[in-house]
Amino acid sequence: MQPSHALAAFSEAMRDGSAVIGVIGLGYVGLPLAHRFSELGHRIVGFDVDGGKVAALNADNGWRRHVGARVEDMRFPAPFEATTDFSRAGECDALIICVPTPLGKYHDPDISFILDAAREICPHLRSGQVVALESTTYPGTTEEDMLPELAKSGLVLGEDYFVVYSPEREDPGNEKFGIRQIPKVVSGVTQACLKAAEALYGPAVDTLVPVASTRVAEMTKLLENIHRAVNIGLVNEMKTLADRMGIDIFDVIRAAATKPFGFTPFYPGPGVGGHCIPVDPFYLTWKAREYGLHTRFIELAGEINRYMPDYIVEKTMAALNADRKALNGARVLVLGAAFKKNIDDMRESPSLTVMSGLLGHGADLAYADPFVPSLTLEDGTRLASVVADEARVAAQDVVVVATDHDAFDYAMIARVARRIVDTRGRFAAADERVTRA
């Protein structure tokens, strides 16, 4: 079967670099993706509802991001313009949707940002365009929820325009794997749409992984994140058991990781953060109810991981009790506010929940994070980061290691801290001042 004229024209525009790429949602997924296509010489139009962000991006022609311990200035090598005007969607040959998919009040999926994006671009769709969704969501979203909004354009799917799903695999702070190096799962609503997906992403990544349907691609992303959530939940539960038994869980993991097959190490912590692990599994548990199934295994892992910040607070109380001190009024320094080391991303960070719990018990709280100069907790409490220098650390009743940024001076902390609650295994458990948590 010969490709339609629209598909052939789009494929040629991608090959020669003349295709205009529109990216909807200029966040931790959309911006690196826009930059990657800019590296290939494509003109980029970025869409976002945040006027302040749009103005800042246009003023700098880029942004700054943390990659490991480094800060990179990301400047667009090809023409880039950010806008809040969705009528400009007609300028773009491809429109890639990278919007948030949070949970609602009752842990139900909120795909309103996807649907809003589809409604905004629908009046401006034209023949030859590709609409790609990258946001993590439940199986069926692309075809059952987004496609009906786009179909109102009157264009013929698979001939005039093409709808694809390709889940993002962005890993903030990863110095080894960027967009180009990470294999890209691609799918299409029709076979012609799959061809359009391959034409769109093929030049940008080294390896494409075509799958049979958008539902397979949507489920693939959820499985990747649920795999991590369940294994983190398992090791967090093992942590609490090992603690009761007087065993250092980090010693156990290091030993088990020497097995060259059948074991993948996962590490405990104060909970789980970012968008993927705390949020995405619930997209599948919600969808499963439509089929009369209850995903007990997934929900149990979520329950264990959500309990971890409370566990950290309890272990901090126990550490202070060893000095005959109460948490109420104790000077507590929390190291790290971001959800993982060496980045500034605080989405769903368990460190924030730990801080709220410590404050709720009356702690005299301070936090240090070189990547997060200030923050606001859920109850509205505003805090500014302090410097974890020797004088500050020595003055605390207890130091809680929540996020183990490499920038912290762990040798100094080990030398001068009175008590340490270590959620990341950075200190020797044999030190009587260290409490594993």
Side-chain angles (χ1 to χ4, degrees):
M1 181 178 177
Q2 292 293 319
S4 69
H5 173 73
L7 177 55
F10 174 77
S11 300
E12 179 59 28
M14 288 303 302
R15 281 193 295 269
D16 66 21
S18 64
V20 178
I21 308 296
V23 177
I24 301 171
L26 300 176
Y28 84 104
V29 173
L31 278 174
L33 187 65
H35 188 269
R36 175 63 187 138
F37 280 108
S38 180
E39 288 179 326
L40 299 174
H42 294 280
R43 181 165 74 88
I44 308 296
V45 181
F47 298 86
D48 204 284
V49 296
D50 185 340
K53 179 188 293 183
V54 164
L57 287 168
N58 286 332
D60 288 347
N61 189 44
W63 79 106
R64 292 170 181 82
R65 69 173 181 175
H66 298 284
V67 181
R70 297 179 291 110
V71 178
E72 289 188 345
D73 283 323
M74 307 297 292
R75 297 292 175 260
F76 291 98
F80 166 85
E81 184 180 358
T83 182
T84 59
D85 181 6
F86 282 81
S87 70
R88 296 187 58 187
E91 299 176 22
C92 304
D93 298 294
L95 292 159
I96 307 176
I97 300 173
C98 308
V99 295
T101 46
L103 293 174
K105 181 178 180 181
Y106 301 105
H107 274 68
D108 52 328
D110 179 3
I111 63 167
S112 62
F113 293 99
I114 295 175
L115 299 181
D116 287 346
R119 293 179 187 123
E120 288 281 4
I121 65 176
C122 181
H124 313 290
L125 287 180
R126 56 168 173 79
S127 181
Q129 286 182 309
V130 174
V131 179
L133 177 62
E134 292 218 1
S135 305
T136 305
T137 187
Y138 54 79
T141 301
T142 304
E143 296 188 30
E144 298 168 12
D145 298 301
M146 186 178 79
L147 185 57
E149 294 297 332
L150 300 176
K152 295 173 184 177
S153 67
L155 297 171
V156 179
L157 178 69
E159 293 185 16
D160 297 329
Y161 79 115
F162 310 91
V163 176
V164 310
Y165 181 74
S166 181
E168 58 88 4
R169 280 175 162 173
E170 183 71 17
D171 186 16
N174 192 319
E175 298 187 71
K176 185 176 180 180
F177 294 105
I179 290 173
R180 179 178 176 179
Q181 294 79 24
I182 300 172
K184 186 84 170 140
V185 173
V186 293
S187 64
V189 176
T190 69
Q191 280 301 305
C193 292
L194 177 58
K195 293 295 184 184
E198 292 171 333
L200 172 61
Y201 290 110
V205 300
D206 291 339
T207 305
L208 292 182
V209 185
V211 296
S213 69
T214 58
R215 292 167 64 86
V216 169
E218 289 160 340
M219 181 72 107
T220 298
K221 173 63 174 177
L222 292 181
L223 176 59
E224 292 170 7
N225 292 340
I226 289 167
H227 173 260
R228 292 166 62 199
V230 167
N231 280 282
I232 293 170
L234 170 63
V235 78
N236 275 329
E237 186 171 59
M238 289 286 290
K239 170 182 71 176
T240 62
L241 175 60
D243 181 65
R244 289 285 183 93
M245 299 174 72
I247 299 170
D248 183 355
I249 189 62
F250 291 95
D251 283 346
V252 173
I253 296 168
R254 282 190 288 268
T258 63
K259 185 180 181 182
F261 55 88
F263 182 83
T264 301
F266 286 81
Y267 296 92
V272 291
H275 177 277
C276 296
I277 308 305
V279 175
D280 294 349
F282 292 100
Y283 270 65
L284 190 59
T285 62
W286 177 86
K287 189 67 174 178
R289 297 184 195 122
E290 181 181 323
Y291 297 88
L293 294 175
H294 181 54
T295 53
R296 291 172 292 174
F297 207 69
I298 299 170
E299 293 181 41
L300 177 60
E303 180 182 326
I304 293 169
N305 290 329
R306 286 195 302 274
Y307 165 63
M308 283 302 106
D310 291 335
Y311 178 77
I312 305 310
V313 173
E314 292 168 7
K315 296 297 286 185
T316 304
M317 289 179 176
L320 288 166
N321 282 344
D323 291 328
R324 299 181 181 274
K325 291 181 179 179
L327 178 54
N328 190 353
R331 290 164 295 182
V332 181
L333 175 64
V334 173
L335 299 182
F339 83 85
K340 63 183 288 191
K341 65 188 296 184
N342 300 335
I343 65 171
D344 60 1
D345 195 337
M346 292 193 298
R347 291 169 304 139
E348 307 294 332
S349 174
S351 296
L352 305 184
T353 309
V354 170
M355 290 185 211
S356 293
L358 294 170
L359 282 172
H361 284 86
D364 179 4
L365 181 73
Y367 87 94
D369 192 315
F371 302 101
V372 182
S374 63
L375 58 83
T376 303
L377 298 177
E378 190 172 354
D379 66 355
T381 300
R382 297 181 179 180
L383 299 170
S385 177
V386 300
V387 177
D389 57 19
E390 185 168 337
R392 172 75 64 172
V393 171
Q396 306 303 306
D397 294 307
V398 62
V399 174
V400 179
V401 182
T403 309
D404 56 333
H405 296 307
D406 290 336
F408 296 131
D409 186 346
Y410 295 101
M412 177 273 291
I413 294 168
R415 188 176 69 254
V416 305
R418 301 178 188 180
R419 289 280 170 190
I420 300 170
V421 174
D422 184 6
T423 76
R424 301 289 186 174
R426 293 300 299 238
F427 297 93
D431 188 331
E432 64 179 13
R433 297 169 301 148
V434 173
T435 298
R436 284 277 195 257

